[in-house]
Amino acid sequence: MTGARETRAGFVAIVGAPNVGKSTLVNRLVGAKVSIVSPKVQTTRTRVLGIVMAGPAQVILIDTPGIFQPRRRLDRAMVAAAWGGAADADLVLALIDAKAGFDRDTRAMVERLKGAGRPAVAAINKVDLVKKPKLLALARDIGETGVFSETFMISALTGDGVADLLAHLVGAVPAGPWLFPEDQISDMPGRLTAAEITREQIYLQLHQELPYAAAVETQDWKDQADGSIRIEQVIYVEKASQKGIVLGKGGSRIKALGAAARKELETIFERRVHLFLFVKVARKWGDDPERYRDLGLKFEA
Ligand code: GDP
Ligand code: MG
């Protein structure tokens, strides 16, 4: 499949106000229903929304919470972490709602992007809802900001214009080896999402005892004949004492982690899920490239 073609791989940070259509676009780009995880609790690691395979390129879409005028301290911290991720991305893709136009959120986003100094393109989404003259005026306003190298017009819902946008993303990521193993690509978005969900539970239930010391990897994923999914995951910790914390008294903690994660996963995948969690001690997993399948680590704040 790869043959003599030069592979490419990189990260695209998607930025946009709530409801602008980020999830819809990610689903369309990835070409399968993935992982839409609501950004409830943001941890410091970057959230992978989906991985797009387009010919020789692997485009990894990462999330940035859509809050541009943070008021609470927590919101500010989330936004800072998110923009930290954007700063490392090869390209920032700013989504703008055709109907909402150049509103306050969009202006705040543009100001942020000016400061970030990253290559950025804009995509006006929901063009199916708005008449041509209004679109052209909006595109002109966006162009005049001087922040975006290009402005695309798309409908994430109908797919209009999405192929052009994707072609641009493919060209924007650098030449280089794929960042995810080829044999894992087909269900990688699901695997990653599943790992993220469990990691989120670890964070929620144990973060005081286990700060940043755990990584989760989905090792096995089976779509079963009865429509359910069977998922095996390993939680990596760095010390034996941490393994004890994750297991809890008589295995109570890992049971609670599994139960909560399973519930979330069933909501996301809209199927029954059988989740099996294992804990392993892997000293310095953070230095082991193999472990980077659970990614985001690259962007640790
Ligand atoms: P997110 O909050 O940015 O992830 O936005 P969603 O992807 O959840 O989309 C918010 C709403 O906008 C949903 O009802 C989508 O169906 C709708 N939507 C997204 N893209 C389009 C589009 O291109 N055209 C139209 N008409 N609706 C869209
Ligand atoms: Mg969404």
Coordinates of all heavy atoms in Angstrom, one line a residue, residues 17-25 125-129 154-158, ligand 1:
A17 N -15.8 27.6 18.0 CA -16.8 27.8 19.1 C -17.7 26.5 19.2 O -17.8 25.8 18.3 CB -17.7 29.0 18.8
P18 N -18.3 26.4 20.4 CA -19.3 25.3 20.5 C -20.3 25.3 19.4 O -20.8 26.4 19.0 CB -19.9 25.5 21.9 CG -18.9 26.3 22.6 CD -18.2 27.2 21.6
N19 N -20.7 24.2 18.9 CA -21.8 24.1 17.9 C -21.4 24.5 16.5 O -22.2 24.5 15.6 CB -23.0 24.9 18.3 CG -23.9 24.0 19.2 OD1 -24.0 22.8 19.0 ND2 -24.4 24.7 20.2
V20 N -20.1 24.8 16.3 CA -19.7 25.2 15.0 C -19.7 24.0 14.0 O -19.7 24.2 12.8 CB -18.3 26.0 15.1 CG1 -17.2 25.0 15.4 CG2 -18.0 26.7 13.8
G21 N -19.6 22.8 14.6 CA -19.7 21.7 13.7 C -18.4 20.8 13.7 O -18.1 20.1 12.8
K22 N -17.6 21.0 14.8 CA -16.3 20.3 14.9 C -16.5 18.7 14.8 O -15.9 18.1 14.1 CB -15.6 20.6 16.2 CG -15.0 22.0 16.3 CD -13.9 22.1 17.3 CE -14.5 21.8 18.7 NZ -13.4 21.9 19.8
S23 N -17.4 18.3 15.7 CA -17.7 16.8 15.7 C -18.2 16.3 14.4 O -17.7 15.3 13.9 CB -18.7 16.5 16.8 OG -18.3 16.9 18.0
T24 N -19.1 17.0 13.8 CA -19.6 16.6 12.5 C -18.5 16.5 11.4 O -18.4 15.6 10.6 CB -20.7 17.6 12.0 OG1 -21.6 17.8 13.1 CG2 -21.4 17.1 10.8
L25 N -17.6 17.5 11.4 CA -16.5 17.5 10.5 C -15.5 16.4 10.7 O -15.1 15.7 9.8 CB -15.8 18.9 10.5 CG -14.6 19.0 9.6 CD1 -15.0 18.9 8.1 CD2 -13.8 20.3 9.8
N125 N -18.1 26.9 7.9 CA -18.9 25.7 7.9 C -20.4 26.1 7.9 O -20.8 27.2 8.2 CB -18.6 24.9 9.2 CG -19.3 23.5 9.1 OD1 -19.5 23.0 8.0 ND2 -19.8 23.0 10.2
K126 N -21.2 25.2 7.5 CA -22.7 25.3 7.4 C -23.0 26.2 6.2 O -24.0 27.0 6.3 CB -23.3 25.8 8.7 CG -22.9 25.0 9.9 CD -23.7 25.3 11.1 CE -23.1 24.6 12.4 NZ -23.9 24.9 13.6
V127 N -22.3 26.1 5.1 CA -22.6 27.0 4.0 C -23.9 26.7 3.4 O -24.5 27.5 2.7 CB -21.5 26.9 2.9 CG1 -20.1 27.4 3.4 CG2 -21.3 25.5 2.4
D128 N -24.4 25.5 3.7 CA -25.8 25.1 3.2 C -26.9 26.0 3.8 O -28.0 26.0 3.3 CB -26.0 23.6 3.5 CG -25.9 23.3 5.0 OD1 -24.7 23.4 5.5 OD2 -26.8 22.9 5.6
L129 N -26.6 26.7 4.9 CA -27.6 27.5 5.5 C -27.6 28.9 5.1 O -28.5 29.7 5.5 CB -27.4 27.4 7.0 CG -27.6 26.0 7.7 CD1 -27.3 26.2 9.2 CD2 -28.9 25.4 7.4
I154 N -17.2 25.1 3.5 CA -17.6 23.7 3.6 C -19.0 23.5 4.2 O -19.6 24.5 4.9 CB -16.6 22.9 4.4 CG1 -16.6 23.4 5.9 CG2 -15.2 22.9 3.8 CD1 -15.9 22.4 6.8
S155 N -19.6 22.4 4.0 CA -20.7 21.9 4.8 C -20.3 20.6 5.4 O -20.2 19.6 4.6 CB -22.0 21.8 4.0 OG -22.9 21.2 4.8
A156 N -20.0 20.5 6.7 CA -19.6 19.3 7.3 C -20.8 18.3 7.2 O -20.6 17.1 7.1 CB -19.2 19.5 8.7
L157 N -22.0 18.9 7.2 CA -23.2 18.0 7.1 C -23.4 17.3 5.8 O -23.6 16.1 5.7 CB -24.4 18.9 7.5 CG -25.7 18.1 7.9 CD1 -25.5 17.4 9.2 CD2 -26.9 19.1 8.0
T158 N -23.3 18.1 4.7 CA -23.5 17.5 3.4 C -22.2 17.0 2.7 O -22.3 16.2 1.8 CB -24.1 18.6 2.4 OG1 -23.1 19.6 2.1 CG2 -25.4 19.2 3.0
Ligands
GDP1 P1 -19.4 21.0 17.8 O1 -20.0 21.4 19.1 O2 -18.5 22.0 17.2 O3 -18.8 19.7 17.9 O4 -20.7 20.9 16.8 P2 -21.4 19.6 16.2 O5 -20.6 18.9 15.2 O6 -21.9 18.8 17.4 O7 -22.6 20.3 15.4 C1 -23.5 21.2 16.1 C2 -24.8 21.2 15.3 O8 -24.6 21.8 14.0 C3 -25.4 19.8 15.0 O9 -26.8 19.9 15.1 C4 -24.9 19.6 13.6 O10 -25.8 18.7 12.9 C5 -25.0 20.9 12.9 N1 -24.1 21.1 11.8 C6 -22.8 20.8 11.8 N2 -22.2 21.0 10.5 C7 -23.3 21.5 9.8 C8 -23.4 21.9 8.4 O11 -22.4 22.0 7.7 N3 -24.6 22.4 8.0 C9 -25.7 22.4 8.9 N4 -26.9 22.8 8.4 N5 -25.6 22.0 10.1 C10 -24.4 21.5 10.6

